[in-house]
């Protein structure tokens, strides 16, 4: 898939991302493209807020964010699109964020992964996240 193209998604578990920006006549592609990021967050409003914050970091977006509302659809997206970074909620309705990170990391060990939660984290979870090679919780 070429940079700037939007993966095709449907259903309630995937959020539509904006499509590629068309270049004006004479305009060149930017030298630095946004980081293709998968955000796995089951609360739709929170996911949209996080995406807007990440994509509005400067006049030139640093992140191109695709949202998955559950772990299963996140894994499907990660199989079909090469993401450079993932942000994964630790507590998803269909699976644990650690499991999502583990499976994505098996398919692509170079992806930068960060887990997050609004709940307490155990030492076992921290150890497992470290073992998986995530950037942290």
């Amino acid at each position: 898939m070429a940079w700037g193209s939007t993966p095709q998604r449907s259903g309630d578990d995937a959020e539509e991302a904006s499509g590629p920006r068309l270049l004006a006549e004479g305009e060149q592609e930017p030298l630095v493209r946004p980081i293709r990021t998968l955000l796995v967050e089951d609360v739709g409003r929170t996911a949209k807020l996080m995406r807007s914050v990440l994509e509005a970091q400067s006049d030139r977006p640093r992140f191109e964010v695709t949202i998955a509302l559950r772990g299963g659809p996140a894994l499907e997206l990660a199989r079909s699109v090469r993401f450079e970074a993932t942000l994964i909620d630790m507590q998803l309705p269909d699976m644990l964020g650690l499991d999502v990170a583990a499976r994505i990391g098996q398919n692509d060990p170079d992806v930068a992964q960060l887990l997050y939660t609004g709940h307490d984290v155990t030492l076992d979870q921290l150890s497992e996240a470290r073992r998986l090679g995530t950037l942290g919780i």
Side-chain angles (χ1 to χ4, degrees), residues 37-38 40 74-75 78 83-89 96-116 128-137:
T37 305
L38 176 60
V40 188
L75 295 173
F83 291 101
E84 294 152 310
T86 64
L87 297 169
I88 305 169
D89 187 355
L96 295 175
L98 282 167
D99 294 334
V100 175
R103 291 173 64 184
I104 289 174
Q106 287 172 347
N107 279 349
D108 186 357
D110 295 328
V111 67
Q113 298 197 80
L114 182 64
L115 295 154
Y116 66 92
E128 180 66 8
R130 185 174 295 126
R131 188 189 69 74
L132 293 172
T134 67
L135 297 173
I137 299 177

Side-chain angles (χ1 to χ4, degrees), residues 37-79:
T37 305
L38 176 60
L39 171 61
V40 188
E41 167 58 61
D42 60 305
V43 179
R45 293 177 73 181
T46 301
K48 288 178 184 180
L49 175 64
M50 291 175 70
R51 177 175 59 191
S52 67
V53 168
L54 288 167
E55 290 183 343
Q57 291 297 309
S58 67
D59 59 339
R60 181 184 301 154
R62 292 184 184 166
F63 296 94
E64 176 185 294
V65 179
T66 302
I67 295 171
L69 299 175
R70 296 183 182 274
L75 295 173
E76 290 176 29
L77 281 168
R79 281 191 291 272

